[in-house]
Amino acid sequence: MLDRNTGRGVPGPDARMVPDPDVTEREILDHLEDICATEDFRRSSRCSGFLRYVVGETLAGRPDRIKAYAIAVSVLGRDETFDPQVDPVVRIEAGQLRRRLEHYYLTGGAGSSIRIDLPKGSYVPSFSRTAQPMSAAANVGSPSVRKGGQVPVSAIRCAAAVAGTGLAVALMFGLARPSSWTVRPVPMVQINAFVPADALSAEMASGLQDELRRALIGHDQLTVVSMEHAAEPAPPDFVMEGSVRCVEGWIRVSARLMEARTRAYVWAHAYDRPLAPEAVLADQASIAAAIARQVAVPANL
């Protein structure tokens, strides 16, 4: 049986992060409060709760306890049956937290002397002191800079408005930039058409894409996109795809979620239903809802 306390992206005992000795606990906690007080983090109790939990456990000397299972149960409302190999909620939420932190340090926190990061491949945060805060003024052309190199958020917004296609807009929404340093407050998900394996499964496959879009649109913490209809499409963060096949009176829908940048699958699941042509619409809706419950990360649950 799989250990519920393990999951992909969780460091082993030899990969523990420890606080930078140059950064005091008081400084870290004060900076944590600054981050969680921003509008972006106030809108998502899950992200701020995730960050508070991993920072608190690390400062308490318990980085080895920061596992996918502990985060899911303590922060994300999952029960004791949670399995990180089946439910990707912790991986998705961790990715979103990384994006929000990157967004913070590129905007309102650009002049911070302390940084809290969540390194990829780990749920244990790292803490560091910024040797020389970078001024965002050089990027947006704004002359209004606070002492210490921090640019007021209002100045960034103003510069973006004047420039029309200014860098602040690109930083905010991840447009017109190389994918390797794209920062978005929420992940973008593209839903591809499900591929039928035979004529019997074609009817079920035909409506799953639309049902999934309908089920996922409206979630505060992800954006459903279509590369087909965008004038200047930005690459999505994740791609949902799948297939449908019929075997001996049963229909199986196989769904997969892939990280677009690495082409690595981060989640997969199969859903079986009795083959019943009169129930196709109901089956499409119920399967789409089941996929959405496992893949989407709705805010404040």
Side-chain angles (χ1 to χ4, degrees), residues 209-231:
Q209 184 183 32
D210 286 339
E211 286 293 336
L212 258 176
R213 285 173 175 164
R214 183 186 62 79
L216 291 172
I217 287 173
H219 285 280
D220 292 338
Q221 302 197 24
L222 63 80
T223 301
V224 178
V225 298
S226 172
M227 301 289 285
E228 302 175 45
H229 307 298

Side-chain angles (χ1 to χ4, degrees), residues 103-147:
H103 181 244
Y104 170 75
Y105 288 118
L106 285 168
T107 54
S112 300
S113 61
I114 307 295
R115 280 189 68 101
I116 299 176
D117 291 297
L118 195 68
K120 288 189 176 180
S122 172
Y123 299 137
V124 181
S126 63
F127 314 105
S128 60
R129 188 180 301 281
T130 304
Q132 183 178 359
M134 297 293 291
S135 170
N139 292 334
V140 298
S142 169
S144 177
V145 183
R146 292 176 183 167
K147 184 177 181 180

Side-chain angles (χ1 to χ4, degrees), residues 10-279:
V10 180
D14 297 328
R16 296 178 188 175
M17 295 288 184
V18 296
D20 186 329
D22 189 41
V23 183
T24 68
E25 180 175 331
R26 184 70 266 162
E27 287 177 309
I28 293 170
L29 292 175
D30 287 345
H31 187 53
L32 174 64
E33 292 306 316
D34 289 341
I35 294 172
C36 293
T38 62
E39 182 180 355
D40 197 23
F41 276 82
R42 287 202 313 268
R43 286 202 310 263
S44 174
S45 64
R46 294 180 74 133
C47 258
S48 57
F50 193 128
L51 185 60
R52 288 182 187 277
Y53 176 80
V54 297
V55 168
E57 288 295 287
T58 302
L59 293 180
R62 298 188 292 265
D64 54 316
R65 298 187 186 181
I66 302 177
K67 309 289 187 181
Y69 179 81
I71 294 169
V73 174
S74 301
V75 181
L76 304 180
R78 294 303 196 257
D79 60 26
E80 66 278 0
T81 64
F82 173 77
D83 183 347
Q85 303 299 324
V86 175
D87 188 341
V89 63
V90 179
R91 293 196 299 272
I92 294 175
E93 191 71 31
Q96 180 184 322
L97 176 56
R98 292 185 184 103
R99 292 182 184 90
R100 288 183 187 271
L101 285 171
E102 291 174 17
H103 181 244
Y104 170 75
Y105 288 118
L106 285 168
T107 54
S112 300
S113 61
I114 307 295
R115 280 189 68 101
I116 299 176
D117 291 297
L118 195 68
K120 288 189 176 180
S122 172
Y123 299 137
V124 181
S126 63
F127 314 105
S128 60
R129 188 180 301 281
T130 304
Q132 183 178 359
M134 297 293 291
S135 170
N139 292 334
V140 298
S142 169
S144 177
V145 183
R146 292 176 183 167
K147 184 177 181 180
Q150 184 174 1
V151 179
V153 175
S154 58
I156 295 176
R157 290 173 177 164
C158 179
V162 171
T165 57
L167 183 59
V169 174
L171 293 176
M172 188 77 72
F173 298 102
L175 303 177
R177 301 189 300 156
S179 60
S180 60
W181 56 292
T182 293
V183 177
R184 301 185 182 108
V186 295
M188 293 169 56
V189 181
Q190 174 181 310
I191 301 171
N192 290 345
F194 280 57
V195 179
D198 48 57
L200 285 175
S201 57
E203 188 174 7
M204 171 65 80
S206 65
L208 275 173
Q209 184 183 32
D210 286 339
E211 286 293 336
L212 258 176
R213 285 173 175 164
R214 183 186 62 79
L216 291 172
I217 287 173
H219 285 280
D220 292 338
Q221 302 197 24
L222 63 80
T223 301
V224 178
V225 298
S226 172
M227 301 289 285
E228 302 175 45
H229 307 298
E232 297 181 3
D237 298 294
F238 296 94
V239 176
M240 171 67 71
E241 61 181 25
S243 60
V244 184
R245 58 193 172 96
C246 291
V247 178
E248 297 180 351
W250 287 83
I251 192 161
R252 166 164 289 192
V253 175
S254 298
R256 300 174 294 276
L257 187 68
M258 177 177 65
E259 186 179 9
R261 183 180 61 84
T262 63
R263 313 297 291 178
Y265 288 104
V266 297
W267 173 85
H269 198 72
Y271 304 85
D272 294 333
R273 298 288 189 276
L275 182 60
E278 70 279 4

